[in-house]
Amino acid sequence: MNKGIVKFFNDSKGYGFIKDEESQKEYFVHANGLVDEIRQDDEVTFDLEEGRKGINAVNVRQA
């Protein structure tokens, strides 16, 4: 389980990006990968999964 901060999330389009706390890498997140609702600057925990266009954040929850 990774920890990070939501850098951007567009509710109407259903996607955004999460910045990993340790690696500082940014990962794509889609609304399908959310457990809880998220907003920009929220602290979250997440798993990583290989998607069609690279690694995605999934199982995203409020920290």
Side-chain angles (χ1 to χ4, degrees):
M1 183 79 45
N2 301 314
K3 288 186 178 183
I5 304 264
V6 178
K7 295 304 289 179
F8 165 82
F9 193 78
N10 184 319
D11 282 324
S12 61
K13 294 189 178 178
Y15 74 90
F17 293 91
I18 296 174
K19 187 172 186 177
D20 188 281
E21 192 175 83
E22 287 185 23
S23 71
Q24 301 299 306
K25 289 184 180 179
E26 290 190 13
Y27 296 105
F28 178 82
V29 59
H30 189 271
N32 293 342
L34 301 180
V35 175
D36 298 325
E37 288 186 20
I38 61 172
R39 292 194 179 107
Q40 187 170 323
D41 298 324
D42 282 353
E43 290 187 20
V44 295
T45 60
F46 60 96
D47 295 319
L48 295 173
E49 186 176 88
E50 186 68 33
R52 288 185 299 191
K53 295 183 179 179
I55 298 178
N56 299 334
V58 295
N59 301 323
V60 180
R61 303 174 192 268
Q62 294 284 347

